[in-house]
Amino acid sequence: MKNLWSDQQAKKLAGDDLALRVYSSNLLGLEPKLVLHGGGNTSVKLAFQNIFGDSIDTLYVKGSGRDLRTINKSGFTPIAMKDALRLAAFDQLSDVDMVAQIRLAQLDTTSPDASIEALVHAVIPAKYVDHTHSNAILILTNSREGNKRLKSLFSDFLILPYMMPGFALAKQIQQAISSGMLVNKKGIILRNHGIFTFGDSAKESYERMIEAVNHGEAAAHSFRNTTEAENTPISPDLLKLAHIRKIVSQIEEAAVTVNLDQCDKAMRMSRRSDAADILSRGPLTPDHTILTKMTPVVLSENFEMDLENYKSNYLAYFDAHSDASHVCLKPAPKWAIWKNIGLLSFDRNQKQVKKISDIAFHTVDAIMTAEELGGWQPLNPQDLFDIEYWALEQRKLNNNSNLPELQGRIAIVTGAATGIGRQCAAQLIAQGVCVVGLDISDKVMEMNGPNYLGLICDVTDDSQVKNAVEQTVKIFGGLDILILNAGIFTAGEYVEDLDQSKWDKTLLINLTANQIFLKNTIPYLKYGFKSAVIFIGSRNVDAPGPGASAYSVSKAGLTQLARVLAMELAPDGIRVNVVHPDAVFDTELWTEELLERSAERYKMTVDEYKTRNLLSVEITSKNVAKMCVALSSNLFSVTTGAQIPMDGGNDRVI
Ligand code: ZN
């Protein structure tokens, strides 16, 4: 591991101890083998000047949930040292009381809640304290051979048995310090948890961390003896992937999205015959259980039974370790090793899924190394349960229980570059849905982000459609919502004058393309979570006008297709409904010129023409998109085969 400290950089911050604290915290955060996604914590002890000009001895400690990679000065919470030390001097203190008391000792009401390790930082008698969950150190402490050799490898470190983080850990360290055990030590190794280093300067503490970790890495490496063969990934069976995701969502009682990792290490673990055994022992560091649960599931050909077993094992684990105060979490796995395929991660949003995937990757890597060091031997289930069901952590989880209903669903929207399609994508994303937008225009990629992927796709081309659908399933894990919106409008020509190619093209795009699409998506929708298909029809179906024969016929055909489909898919619980918009003028179909021409034909101004309906309202893409979101939701859970006008009221339709 590289020492990233730059004296030149640090010189610019000289004299500002908190800025130096931020600097070396960011350096630690840059290295995923030290800390992942909010793990680890750091502190500095300084004099704080209050409004009265009094100087108060203060601990600036990382705020809870802050990420070391990106933390800045405001992410550190100042706490009066006097109060922190008095709290640590109690014989006993519940963690809930500890958090409340630390909040009272905060010297800035706008700063975040302090890290739960604040008292640990307070009792260590050094200006700078750094704490990480270094992979190398954890590989050593979580393996039989490594653990045995720890003492001789780290004679300048105090090595302590595992203790629950929070007050108990602060107490353990304080007692070790008062009995003189920390004299001449550079840091502390906490078995099954991580490592602390400290020093008089930010540089000293940081460099001690890097030095210790490099020492650990070299030691772990020297014990290893196997060479690793390259693993070429094989394509997953996407229908099975969608099926796995459906079962996980059912156990979770909410839709999850998925990440598939087929990197070399994931592949290697997936090909081990002992994967189920070694993965059943526990996580890299207890902190990870909050995101990943204690263990993943190993999925074989018989994945339905594997998931059922995981569920019953989790419930048994809960029963064995819980008391009346605990509420059981949903017994769904957060990650899986899929035999011969790779590593899957599951959660309700992609951001969280990526975090879990990172942690799982490092866990897999560490376990395989530890297996060569005498065998992976992490913390015991009771200690892990205590962290997973820690009151403080359960409180964090409760904060994200109010997710939107559609969170975690996966949708495809056709014709998503502009107009109604683009609005549908935007409105679904706002509800937490992962969306793939398709269009022939590259504008479809403008919204690309963690929950949206725009793909250029000609919906009339079977192989392009197949490819787009497969990409959706591979990236997000399945398919639940389909919004069939792509269409063209050819107007102004009577049947006798209509160019044959215009007729053919309109029917191909507005009608046949949707049949091609459905053929490719129905197998996945059957493995979707509360699947719904929504067709964008037209007011023209019920109230046609002269000069738009191809358009009207294609939309009428499309409506009939939807009605048949509603009957065909009902046994699978898939709902199919049609929205008939009229006069939506903020779409690409309507140019300024076309609008003026149409208004003129009715002897109206453009504004009058736009609101030409019983309610005298303008209908926007957003109105239609919000209806599509509603039709995807439970609000319409007992509705299928329906046709909903979005036309401001039309006397010919009514
Ligand atoms: Zn920790």
Side-chain angles (χ1 to χ4, degrees):
M1 184 169 296
K2 254 177 98 178
N3 180 341
L4 300 172
W5 185 273
S6 150
D7 279 328
Q8 210 182 345
Q9 197 64 27
K11 215 166 145 192
K12 290 184 203 157
L13 309 171
D16 187 342
D17 291 342
L18 187 55
L20 285 161
R21 175 67 288 171
V22 170
Y23 172 59
S24 70
S25 301
N26 294 159
L27 296 185
L28 295 173
L30 279 173
E31 182 45 79
K33 286 184 173 175
L34 289 176
V35 287
L36 282 168
H37 304 296
N41 39 62
T42 57
S43 69
V44 59
K45 299 179 182 79
L46 294 178
F48 173 88
Q49 287 277 337
N50 70 8
I51 198 169
F52 308 108
D54 301 335
S55 174
I56 303 165
D57 283 341
T58 303
L59 172 75
Y60 280 84
V61 67
K62 189 191 93 160
S64 177
R66 293 302 193 272
D67 195 319
L68 288 180
R69 194 167 56 85
T70 52
I71 198 168
N72 53 25
K73 282 186 177 180
S74 65
F76 284 89
T77 305
I79 296 163
M81 270 295 281
K82 183 168 63 79
D83 294 342
L85 292 176
R86 286 183 75 186
L87 287 171
F90 279 118
D91 285 334
Q92 275 190 333
L93 185 65
S94 78
D95 287 320
V96 173
D97 287 344
M98 176 186 78
V99 168
Q101 290 303 318
I102 289 175
R103 205 173 283 152
L104 288 171
Q106 271 182 223
L107 298 170
D108 181 346
T109 53
T110 64
S111 55
D113 274 350
S115 158
I116 42 166
E117 305 297 13
L119 294 189
V120 177
H121 285 262
V123 300
I124 295 175
K127 185 169 171 121
Y128 286 89
V129 178
D130 295 11
H131 166 50
T132 72
H133 302 144
S134 150
N135 284 6
I137 301 297
L138 287 162
I139 287 167
L140 291 172
T141 92
N142 289 348
S143 66
R144 289 190 192 100
E145 283 303 311
N147 212 7
K148 255 192 264 169
R149 298 191 205 185
L150 217 52
K151 257 202 173 112
S152 59
L153 284 169
F154 291 95
S155 56
D156 47 1
F157 274 71
L158 171 63
I159 299 167
L160 292 174
Y162 175 81
M163 186 60 72
M164 176 94 171
F167 185 76
L169 179 58
K171 204 70 213 167
Q172 181 197 31
I173 291 179
Q174 189 201 39
Q175 280 163 355
I177 292 168
S178 50
S179 52
M181 289 163 76
L182 209 59
V183 177
N184 294 327
K185 300 288 185 195
K186 292 177 179 172
I188 303 167
I189 290 175
L190 303 168
R191 283 188 199 270
N192 309 113
H193 174 160
I195 175 169
F196 280 87
T197 55
F198 37 80
D200 293 334
S201 67
K203 183 180 180 180
E204 184 177 46
S205 186
Y206 172 78
E207 289 190 333
R208 283 176 167 180
M209 179 65 75
I210 301 301
E211 198 187 312
V213 168
N214 279 331
H215 187 50
E217 267 181 9
H221 193 74
S222 71
F223 303 157
R224 303 185 65 173
N225 43 30
T226 46
T227 47
E228 292 154 10
E230 272 287 310
N231 281 282
T232 338
I234 38 176
S235 298
D237 179 329
L238 294 172
L239 270 180
K240 278 188 187 162
L241 176 59
H243 192 180
I244 290 167
R245 170 195 174 252
K246 180 175 187 166
I247 302 172
V248 174
S249 300
Q250 282 168 337
I251 302 175
E252 188 73 49
E253 291 173 32
V256 298
T257 88
V258 182
N259 183 67
L260 168 63
D261 183 351
Q262 293 196 296
C263 72
D264 190 55
K265 282 176 176 145
M267 294 297 306
R268 239 174 343 114
M269 179 58 98
S270 78
R271 287 177 182 169
R272 286 183 72 120
S273 57
D274 60 354
D277 169 31
I278 52 181
L279 287 166
S280 71
R281 295 181 204 159
L284 193 53
T285 186
D287 200 35
H288 291 166
T289 55
I290 312 303
L291 280 170
T292 64
K293 288 209 165 81
M294 192 180 101
T295 56
V297 62
V298 175
L299 300 169
S300 64
E301 276 300 307
N302 199 350
F303 56 83
E304 288 174 78
M305 196 183 74
D306 299 327
L307 287 163
E308 194 48 48
N309 287 343
Y310 184 91
K311 180 181 159 182
S312 49
N313 288 342
Y314 187 86
L315 295 173
Y317 151 82
F318 180 80
D319 284 344
H321 302 288
S322 62
D323 62 40
S325 71
H326 299 117
V327 178
C328 190
L329 299 170
K330 297 286 183 295
K334 290 293 177 182
W335 63 286
I337 287 294
W338 189 4
K339 282 266 173 207
N340 300 316
I341 304 291
L343 192 164
L344 296 172
S345 307
F346 315 102
D347 206 276
R348 302 217 45 211
N349 69 61
Q350 274 289 312
K351 207 172 136 197
Q352 206 77 346
V353 168
K354 293 276 156 52
K355 279 189 191 179
I356 293 170
S357 189
D358 279 350
I359 292 174
F361 164 79
H362 286 279
T363 306
V364 159
D365 185 22
I367 290 178
M368 288 191 293
T369 310
E371 271 298 292
E372 293 181 42
L373 273 60
W376 176 244
Q377 204 175 43
L379 202 57
N380 63 66
Q382 182 63 56
D383 281 324
L384 290 169
F385 180 88
D386 290 344
I387 295 288
E388 190 178 351
Y389 283 87
W390 199 5
L392 301 177
E393 299 295 356
Q394 294 241 299
R395 213 154 47 182
K396 269 193 216 164
L397 290 174
N398 286 339
N399 290 342
N400 28 344
S401 58
N402 285 334
L403 296 171
E405 183 205 320
L406 294 180
Q407 179 82 44
R409 305 269 178 101
I410 301 159
I412 295 181
V413 180
T414 69
T418 56
I420 291 174
R422 191 182 177 115
Q423 268 301 330
C424 283
Q427 296 298 324
L428 286 168
I429 293 166
Q431 296 300 314
V433 178
C434 295
V435 181
V436 172
L438 306 181
D439 209 291
I440 42 168
S441 159
D442 62 4
K443 277 188 182 171
V444 77
M445 295 187 285
E446 285 172 0
M447 292 202 299
N448 276 356
N451 294 329
Y452 176 82
L453 175 70
L455 295 175
I456 296 176
C457 175
D458 177 350
V459 289
T460 64
D461 181 327
D462 187 60
S463 67
Q464 287 189 40
V465 167
K466 184 169 185 283
N467 186 32
V469 174
E470 286 179 354
Q471 278 207 57
T472 306
V473 177
K474 200 165 177 189
I475 288 170
F476 294 125
L479 181 63
D480 312 308
I481 299 167
L482 191 57
I483 298 185
L484 295 166
N485 162 69
I488 55 167
F489 181 66
T490 40
E493 284 181 52
Y494 278 57
V495 176
E496 66 175 315
D497 307 321
L498 182 62
D499 187 72
Q500 189 60 36
S501 67
K502 266 192 186 175
W503 170 272
D504 290 344
K505 192 177 171 196
T506 306
L507 262 80
L508 178 65
I509 295 174
N510 290 6
L511 180 58
T512 307
N514 293 292
Q515 174 262 330
I516 293 174
F517 219 89
L518 289 159
K519 212 174 62 186
N520 279 289
T521 49
I522 286 170
Y524 296 105
L525 288 169
K526 286 184 175 173
Y527 286 123
F529 188 79
K530 303 185 181 179
S531 294
V533 180
I534 294 137
F535 285 75
I536 306 295
S538 169
R539 183 264 307 160
N540 279 29
V541 173
D542 275 337
S549 59
Y551 181 78
S552 300
V553 167
S554 67
K555 289 291 185 181
L558 188 68
T559 304
Q560 196 71 346
L561 178 62
R563 295 174 72 199
V564 172
L565 200 67
M567 289 189 266
E568 288 185 0
L569 296 183
D572 292 291
I574 304 170
R575 298 178 295 109
V576 181
N577 292 294
V578 187
V579 174
H580 288 312
D582 183 30
V584 178
F585 296 110
D586 59 347
T587 73
E588 287 249 307
L589 298 181
W590 286 92
T591 59
E592 276 303 312
E593 190 205 341
L594 186 60
L595 254 177
E596 275 165 24
R597 232 188 317 132
S598 300
E600 214 179 277
R601 200 164 59 227
Y602 289 89
K603 307 212 172 349
M604 287 177 173
T605 66
V606 167
D607 275 346
E608 284 165 348
Y609 182 69
K610 277 183 170 179
T611 56
R612 198 169 52 96
N613 54 53
L614 294 175
L615 293 170
S616 303
V617 289
E618 187 178 341
I619 300 120
T620 64
S621 297
K622 204 171 176 177
N623 293 139
V624 181
K626 288 202 159 178
M627 177 55 82
C628 291
V629 168
L631 282 168
S632 310
S633 77
N634 274 341
L635 197 62
F636 284 88
S637 63
V638 294
T639 302
T640 194
Q643 299 180 42
I644 300 177
M646 302 275 313
D647 55 12
N650 181 305
D651 45 12
R652 289 179 59 208
V653 173
I654 291 173

